[in-house]
Amino acid sequence: MADDTQQVDPKADPKAERTAARLAQRIGSFSKAHGGAEGQVAYIGQRGARIVLVGEDGAWGDIVAPTYAVAEQAVRKSGITVHESFDGEFAAKAKTGPYEWSRMAGLQLGGPSNG
């Protein structure tokens, strides 16, 4: 079985290059709005890769790139610090509030039923 994380080199594909540049711009905007940012890239199968961002103020969000290679290029272009995994000190920087906890817990803690 082939390794699905190996993608076409985005530098050889002008469309991938433009996509990475747009994603880098969005990452930069997030970073600027939140006093800086750090990130982590996770492969999510055929959908591509998820770039999780955590701002210096604890705000967090994510962006999905079409391929892992494009995601890596986007974070490189943006200049943010990239972590291997979303755990430890990096994960502790993300601040969650009542909304996130109710969404994670669902009906168990009186959160929305999602249906």
Side-chain angles (χ1 to χ4, degrees), residues 2-113:
D3 180 4
D4 290 337
T5 62
Q6 297 300 315
Q7 302 290 333
V8 175
D9 179 10
K11 293 178 183 174
D13 179 359
K15 183 179 176 188
E17 180 87 24
R18 288 189 303 273
T19 300
R22 279 194 310 272
L23 292 172
Q25 186 175 28
R26 290 177 60 193
I27 293 166
S29 294
F30 178 91
S31 181
K32 185 177 179 182
H34 298 285
E38 298 176 42
Q40 187 260 335
V41 179
Y43 178 67
I44 56 174
Q46 290 182 341
R47 293 189 129 179
R50 178 181 186 212
I51 305 167
V52 178
L53 302 169
V54 179
E56 288 300 314
D57 62 359
W60 58 277
D62 65 351
I63 301 171
V64 175
T67 68
Y68 193 88
V70 168
E72 285 185 314
Q73 186 176 10
V75 294
R76 232 183 351 266
K77 282 179 178 268
S78 72
I80 65 169
T81 299
V82 181
H83 297 269
E84 289 291 320
S85 61
F86 190 78
D87 60 4
E89 290 181 33
F90 177 51
K93 290 181 179 185
K95 293 182 181 170
T96 56
Y99 172 78
E100 288 85 4
W101 283 103
S102 69
R103 297 292 295 175
M104 288 187 272
L107 291 174
Q108 296 170 358
L109 295 178
S113 65

